Amino acid sequence: MVVLLGFAVAGCTGGGQETAGGEAGSSEGKVLTLTLDGAKNREAELQVIAQYLKQVGIDAQVRVWEYQTLVAEAQKGTRQAYATDWGSSTFSPVDLAVPKLETGGRGNYSFYSNPEVDALFRQAAATTDEGEALEAYKKAQEIIYRDAPWIFGYYLDAIEAASTRVKNWQPSMDSRVNLHDVELEDGDTLVVGLRADRILSLDPAAYRDRDTETVIRNIYDGLVTRTPDGEVVPEIAESWEQPDPTTYIFKLRRGIKFHNGEELTADDVVFTFERILADDGLDGQPSPRKGLVEPLQSVEKVDDYTVRMKLAKPSAAFLQLLVHTQIVPKDYVEEVGSRGLSEHPVGAGPFKFVEGSLDGQIVLERFDGYYGGSPELPPVGPAKVRRVVFRMMPEPATRIAALKSGEVHIVQEVPPDMVADLERDPNVQVKVTQGTRLYMIELNNKVLSDPRVRQALNYAIDWDAILQELYQGHAHRVATAMLPSGFGYHEGLEPYPYDPEKAKQLLREAGYRVD
């Protein structure tokens, strides 16, 4: 295996321009030159990958970027190969494989295009037959595997830790920190160390990131929620029915109160969704969450406790998508506006807002009038702790030190190399669940247009060795662009094996010199 230590940093930090692609010609063939671009957090991984590629005759270098700058350049098509990641919120291909690999998809930074794959994605989305959808997704994965638009990568475990004083705590696959059920032995104020340096908003319609959502979902509830292992269960909705493939009817629980004392009714539900769907729903601006409620077409009140939703087309992931939309009070938002809602949020969740700043900490207090939450997620009733503090702590070492000292009680995203130390601490508990974010190296298919070259790149890398050394068993390979936690995953496809001789053979066939 290639040793990880001792590599010099190639490339630069920043966003300079260079020509995508590159080949050194000779009478005996060409040497493939490849620049591997990535943010600082993927640098060690890319340095090792570059060494593997050099072993099969590729002139590989690493260039380190600020992440958002790199994404912008990748979208322009100026890069060859770039380390990216993409998360799934719905446990379905509709927000992972489809936007990343359908022609013109919003996340398709590799410029991959295959009409047969596009047709299979459409077939899976349109059918109400789960078996037909599963078969379509599997066929799509088989084609994607052969086309190799990326260097296929891995997903990481979600690792969190807490004080042993914290009881009834469980990490969620969707990264939510659900504090309704949690108790703190000999204490009534629970402090959570978030991995973010700031959250974006306290308005449920004005963000699109998981760190913001973990705070918001302790203040607001949705029609439905999710168990820690991903099952959708009722929350504000008491039940639902689906009379036809594009219609959902939700019955609401009676007696639910917002933090300002107003009763939650169908009017609030309709207002919540229409505000997201409207092009000017947020004080004249569009909601960034509109794409997360598609293909919702209309929402209407049937009576005070019944809502009908119509979809533009069938969607197997619709209920999973609803988990991420929290209900706001119509009268209050119309009075204070979107800015007012973010500055002083009012929801119907287990905790109410007290004070805080988006880049410092958010302080919440138990809402004693809480209806109890989903009966499918006991205990039902008011929260167990009186007060909750979400503290922004982006540096992992700072979070871990604060946990060990007792300054915080729960921390997100424990680095794998810190797990063993925490597990030796008698005052700390470490819990692991399956992650839902895919890490890959996308290839510019316009530049690296020969599938044999892209396959060769996959064969050239010993991912098992890299992941074991970097992530100590907390990273798991995938064969294509889907996760085992999601619908449609093809269990019969094995990840590309490490086979440098096969890589050399494919490069030779594509006209490259490898020795």
Side-chain angles (χ1 to χ4, degrees):
M1 98 178 245
V2 175
V3 179
L4 291 176
L5 303 178
F7 289 151
V9 179
C12 69
T13 57
Q17 293 288 329
E18 69 178 42
T19 302
E23 300 166 343
S26 81
S27 59
E28 300 175 353
K30 302 167 290 185
V31 172
L32 175 62
T33 64
L34 192 68
T35 299
L36 300 168
D37 296 309
K40 187 69 177 176
N41 67 320
R42 301 283 294 277
E43 181 185 6
E45 173 188 316
L46 291 177
Q47 292 286 6
V48 183
I49 288 171
Q51 297 305 310
Y52 277 117
L53 297 181
K54 288 176 181 178
Q55 290 181 359
V56 299
I58 297 171
D59 180 12
Q61 302 295 327
V62 174
R63 187 179 178 99
V64 180
W65 297 68
E66 188 276 324
Y67 182 73
Q68 293 301 331
T69 304
L70 172 58
V71 170
E73 290 298 318
Q75 290 172 318
K76 294 176 188 175
T78 68
R79 317 314 304 158
Q80 292 173 279
Y82 20 90
T84 58
D85 57 85
W86 193 271
S88 171
S89 300
T90 67
F91 300 89
S92 160
V94 300
D95 65 346
L96 183 55
V98 174
K100 293 299 290 180
L101 291 171
E102 73 174 345
T103 302
R106 61 186 172 86
N108 189 346
Y109 309 152
S110 57
F111 305 100
Y112 173 69
S113 179
N114 185 310
E116 190 175 357
V117 170
D118 294 342
L120 288 165
F121 283 161
R122 288 194 298 269
Q123 178 185 345
T127 184
T128 57
D129 184 324
E130 189 172 283
E132 181 183 348
L134 178 61
E135 188 63 24
Y137 281 135
K138 286 187 173 182
K139 287 180 180 177
Q141 287 168 86
E142 290 167 3
I143 298 168
I144 292 165
Y145 183 88
R146 293 193 300 270
D147 285 349
W150 306 341
I151 298 175
F152 299 118
Y154 57 93
Y155 67 92
L156 292 171
D157 290 332
I159 311 170
E160 297 183 2
S163 163
T164 52
R165 295 172 56 205
V166 175
K167 309 299 181 185
N168 203 30
W169 159 73
Q170 184 66 40
S172 296
M173 288 177 66
D174 64 359
S175 303
R176 179 188 185 188
V177 181
N178 179 8
L179 299 178
H180 168 254
D181 304 343
V182 173
E183 298 180 57
L184 181 64
E185 193 175 79
D186 300 322
D188 62 0
T189 299
L190 187 74
V191 184
V192 179
L194 293 181
R195 63 191 174 188
D197 60 355
R198 64 179 290 115
I199 59 174
L200 301 180
S201 176
L202 291 174
D203 177 349
Y207 75 95
R208 194 156 176 167
D209 76 292
R210 291 191 180 188
D211 301 307
T212 300
E213 183 170 344
T214 205
V215 177
I216 279 176
R217 287 176 65 187
N218 281 280
I219 302 173
Y220 303 85
D221 277 2
L223 288 175
V224 295
T225 189
R226 189 183 283 133
T227 64
D229 61 358
E231 180 188 356
V232 176
V233 294
E235 194 168 55
I236 286 172
E238 184 176 70
S239 62
W240 66 81
E241 59 181 293
Q242 189 178 9
D244 61 65
T246 59
T247 304
Y248 285 83
I249 298 174
F250 292 89
K251 293 287 187 181
L252 308 182
R253 300 184 196 280
R254 296 171 183 258
I256 295 178
K257 300 288 186 182
F258 287 109
H259 300 156
N260 62 359
E262 293 183 10
E263 185 180 4
L264 189 156
T265 69
D267 289 324
D268 302 297
V269 176
V270 172
F271 175 79
T272 293
F273 285 92
E274 288 186 340
R275 180 170 175 255
I276 293 172
L277 290 171
D279 291 336
D280 58 354
L282 274 61
D283 293 346
Q285 299 297 315
S287 168
R289 302 193 67 78
K290 183 175 181 179
L292 293 178
V293 297
E294 292 178 345
L296 182 61
Q297 193 170 51
S298 65
V299 189
E300 63 176 311
K301 171 183 175 180
V302 177
D303 59 44
D304 282 348
Y305 300 100
T306 308
V307 172
R308 179 185 294 112
M309 294 187 176
K310 293 291 292 183
L311 310 186
K313 60 182 179 180
S315 171
F318 183 64
L319 290 174
Q320 289 281 1
L321 289 167
L322 283 188
V323 169
H324 302 279
T325 299
Q326 279 59 56
I327 307 304
V328 299
K330 176 179 183 289
D331 292 344
Y332 177 74
V333 178
E334 288 182 335
E335 176 187 345
V336 304
S338 298
R339 181 174 178 178
L341 180 65
S342 185
E343 291 175 349
H344 196 99
V346 170
F351 295 95
K352 58 185 180 180
F353 177 77
V354 175
E355 61 181 1
S357 63
L358 300 179
D359 59 356
Q361 66 178 24
I362 303 294
V363 180
L364 309 179
E365 187 176 89
R366 178 174 59 215
F367 177 44
D368 291 329
Y370 186 53
Y371 67 99
S374 173
E376 305 293 327
L377 294 171
V380 174
K384 300 298 182 182
V385 294
R386 182 181 65 84
R387 203 171 180 88
V388 165
V389 179
F390 287 100
R391 190 167 295 163
M392 309 306 150
M393 305 182 79
E395 293 297 327
T398 303
R399 290 197 301 276
I400 300 305
L403 175 65
K404 291 172 75 70
S405 71
E407 179 186 344
V408 304
H409 305 106
I410 298 174
V411 294
Q412 289 184 307
E413 203 170 270
V414 175
D417 61 356
M418 294 184 177
V419 169
D421 176 60
L422 285 177
E423 288 179 334
R424 288 191 293 267
D425 189 325
N427 298 313
V428 172
Q429 53 183 320
V430 179
K431 294 188 178 182
V432 177
T433 191
Q434 195 173 82
T436 58
R437 181 163 290 274
L438 191 63
Y439 296 80
M440 72 292 276
I441 299 174
E442 294 193 56
L443 304 173
N444 188 331
N445 285 220
K446 292 182 178 179
V447 176
L448 300 168
S449 57
D450 191 329
R452 293 171 298 185
V453 173
R454 303 194 299 263
Q455 291 170 10
L457 295 173
N458 279 278
Y459 281 117
I461 301 165
D462 189 348
W463 275 111
D464 292 333
I466 294 172
L467 297 182
Q468 180 58 40
E469 187 155 346
L470 281 178
Y471 301 115
Q472 285 84 55
H474 288 291
H476 311 277
R477 295 189 63 194
V478 292
T480 61
M482 293 191 190
L483 294 162
S485 57
F487 175 75
Y489 180 72
H490 196 325
E491 295 180 350
L493 281 180
E494 293 291 334
Y496 275 81
Y498 175 49
D499 191 340
E501 293 307 314
K502 179 70 171 177
K504 290 179 181 179
Q505 175 193 334
L506 287 165
L507 288 170
R508 288 191 191 100
E509 291 176 4
Y512 291 99
R513 192 177 78 237
V514 298
D515 47 21

